[in-house]
Amino acid sequence: MTRSGRLLCALYLATSGGLAWTTVLEFLYGPRWAAFLFAAASLVPVIAVVRETLIRDLRAAAAGPRRPARTPADDVIHAELEAACCERWWTSLGVHHDTTCPHRTRRSSAA
């Protein structure tokens, strides 16, 4: 959830708490109809928090996976990179090899 979404949910919950406290005060000192009205009004911000979290979940589901699916071209490139000998072979366009490279034979640079 974004920072503004969290702030909005915090404001909703604070509003709901204030309305719930007003409901208690109305039950103790005021008319019953006003207490029921404030009780119903204190549920509205809670519904708004549930709505915000559902919107967050739907956005996350619509975004899909963060990593794109591998294509056949990615597999070919990965195989070619794995078949490379050593770093010097790459930097010298397939002419020279490192001293620890097991393939000290010359390879063409056409990969």
Side-chain angles (χ1 to χ4, degrees):
M1 186 178 290
T2 62
R3 184 178 295 176
S4 62
R6 278 185 243 131
L7 177 65
L8 191 59
C9 285
L11 288 173
Y12 285 151
L13 292 176
T15 303
S16 181
L19 287 170
W21 177 245
T22 305
T23 301
V24 170
L25 292 177
E26 283 298 316
F27 266 122
L28 294 176
Y29 305 112
R32 296 282 184 218
W33 65 268
F36 287 115
L37 182 68
F38 282 117
S42 68
L43 293 177
V44 173
V46 174
I47 294 169
V49 169
V50 172
R51 181 178 172 270
E52 287 292 324
T53 56
L54 285 176
I55 288 172
R56 179 201 60 195
D57 293 342
L58 289 174
R59 283 184 179 165
R66 298 236 182 233
R67 302 174 94 193
R70 287 183 68 161
T71 63
D74 292 332
D75 294 333
V76 170
I77 292 170
H78 183 70
E80 290 295 327
L81 288 174
E82 289 294 322
C85 285
C86 57
E87 184 177 345
R88 187 176 289 170
W89 181 83
W90 278 104
T91 57
S92 65
L93 298 176
V95 176
H96 302 290
H97 292 274
D98 286 336
T99 57
T100 59
C101 181
H103 307 298
R104 291 194 177 199
T105 59
R106 292 185 59 153
R107 293 177 66 180
S108 69
S109 62

